[in-house]
Amino acid sequence: MTLTELRYIVAVARERHFGRAAEACFVSQPTLSVAIKKLEDELDVKIFERGASEVSVTPLGEDIVRQAQAVLDEAAAIKEIAKRGKDPLAGPLRLGIIYTIGPYLLPDLVKQTIEQVPQMPLMLQENFTVKLLEMLRTGELDCAIMAEPFPDTGLAIAPLYDEPFMVAVPRQHALAKRQSVTSEEVKRETMLLLGTGHCFRDHVLEVCPEFARFSSDAEGIRKSFEGSSLETIKHMVASGMGITVVPQLSVPRDPQPHVAYVPFHDPVPTRRVVLAWRRTFTRYEAIAALRNAVYGCELQGVQKLS
């Protein structure tokens, strides 16, 4: 059993395809296939089920792949220990971030990281929470910025900030002139929601569970209530199609001609934004540096957490 073979099975588990896994590992497909067959013969177990169009991981294979990733992490830690003697922050950090945080945090965060730790460039990946969790598990990402709650996957988690929600309404809407609005008032309006897969959609449905009926698979009117991004939904609000709920950091700092942003009345709904990483990830200084960079951002209107 070699580290190379372990890298191959982790790649196949991630790609669900021998050809793509071989490309990712910069080897030919026959080389990768032979190595994996050799490992399966050595262990006397079947790690993968080979189908016509897709490869699946067997239940026992899932455990083996998970342990293989842990072994690869530990092997990488040896190199990291050696690097630490020279510069503990040297090298890129692979950071994932969810769609409803990325556009509003990353510009300032990247600037702060360049200023504070120029030797640690960020390699960025925006995606849904479920995909980021999978990428963390398979080692494609080092850490991720997400919003709680999400499934307990045994990750190490550090809180970053609590972010209040606000209500976005058309500028001519009756609620636009209010100092604050209640959840009950919001429930009486036409609500525009993010599409399925966005965790912020679930946060909004917690505030206004009555709108959960739009999460069904029914065709027709449901589609007019969903958008692919917060910015798309804001344009829908500007055109008078309804109102929506947005996180504080997505609110423009300058007044907008067609959309007004109104705070919630107490109790204000919020989401907790956290930094998560595998417990086997050993670049502790890099995690600390990233947190410091986040705290160096302005984050107007949110409560930073130490």
Side-chain angles (χ1 to χ4, degrees):
M1 186 188 306
T2 67
L3 291 178
T4 298
E5 291 168 348
L6 298 184
R7 289 192 189 94
Y8 290 169
I9 65 171
V10 168
V12 173
R14 179 177 67 242
E15 300 292 342
R16 294 295 198 269
H17 191 276
F18 277 83
R20 291 194 298 269
E23 290 178 9
C25 295
F26 304 103
V27 297
S28 68
Q29 182 172 336
T31 298
L32 179 136
S33 297
V34 168
I36 291 179
K37 183 65 168 60
K38 173 178 172 292
L39 180 60
E40 289 181 321
D41 290 343
E42 178 183 343
L43 298 176
D44 195 25
V45 298
K46 184 174 283 191
I47 301 174
F48 300 108
E49 293 284 353
R50 282 82 164 166
S53 59
E54 187 178 80
V55 176
S56 60
V57 187
T58 65
L60 184 58
E62 290 279 2
D63 293 335
I64 292 173
V65 169
R66 191 176 300 111
Q67 186 61 38
Q69 182 61 62
V71 171
L72 293 173
D73 285 342
E74 293 297 333
I78 296 175
K79 294 181 179 179
E80 296 300 333
I81 291 170
K83 280 184 183 178
R84 264 186 228 161
K86 302 173 183 178
D87 185 351
L89 299 174
L93 184 71
R94 298 172 297 175
L95 171 66
I97 193 164
I98 58 175
Y99 291 117
T100 57
I101 296 177
Y104 317 110
L105 177 63
L106 283 180
D108 201 2
L109 177 59
V110 171
K111 177 174 177 288
Q112 290 292 330
T113 305
I114 292 173
E115 290 177 356
Q116 296 182 26
V117 278
Q119 72 275 40
M120 190 186 77
L122 296 179
M123 298 176 64
L124 303 170
Q125 167 73 237
E126 272 190 299
N127 220 310
F128 296 112
T129 298
V130 64
K131 180 60 177 176
L132 295 180
L133 289 171
E134 174 67 14
M135 295 176 77
L136 280 172
R137 186 183 69 80
T138 59
E140 292 177 83
L141 291 175
D142 299 322
C143 54
I145 295 176
M146 301 178 288
E148 290 184 329
F150 48 81
D152 181 11
T153 55
L155 297 171
I157 296 173
L160 296 175
Y161 56 84
D162 285 338
E163 182 177 21
F165 299 162
M166 296 190 72
V167 183
V169 302
R171 179 60 68 177
Q172 303 305 316
H173 196 283
L175 295 177
K177 299 179 175 61
R178 297 281 298 277
Q179 294 297 312
S180 64
V181 297
T182 66
S183 297
E184 289 301 319
E185 290 173 313
V186 170
K187 293 172 185 177
R188 293 195 288 268
E189 302 293 330
T190 299
M191 174 66 73
L192 305 177
L193 297 171
L194 282 171
T196 303
H198 290 276
C199 63
F200 191 72
R201 170 195 178 93
D202 300 327
H203 297 156
V204 174
L205 292 177
E206 287 179 9
V207 178
C208 305
E210 288 79 3
F211 296 112
R213 64 183 181 275
F214 299 127
S215 64
S216 69
D217 291 330
E219 295 298 325
I221 193 170
R222 177 182 68 91
K223 292 184 177 179
S224 69
F225 288 89
E226 294 186 357
S228 59
S229 72
L230 285 177
E231 295 309 308
T232 298
I233 287 182
K234 288 178 186 178
H235 287 296
M236 294 166 69
V237 171
S239 68
M241 293 182 65
I243 72 171
T244 195
V245 175
V246 299
Q248 172 72 48
L249 289 185
S250 74
V251 175
R253 298 189 180 182
D254 299 322
Q256 301 296 294
H258 303 298
V259 180
Y261 295 90
V262 187
F264 272 97
H265 187 73
D266 288 337
V268 178
T270 63
R271 67 174 177 180
R272 173 154 295 184
V273 175
V274 302
L275 178 62
W277 65 96
R278 291 186 308 282
R279 295 185 184 277
T280 53
F281 185 62
T282 57
R283 293 180 64 190
Y284 310 116
E285 297 87 351
I287 296 295
L290 182 63
R291 291 184 72 192
N292 289 337
V294 172
Y295 295 145
C297 299
E298 289 193 33
L299 302 181
Q300 188 173 7
V302 310
Q303 181 183 357
K304 297 179 183 178
L305 304 170
S306 61

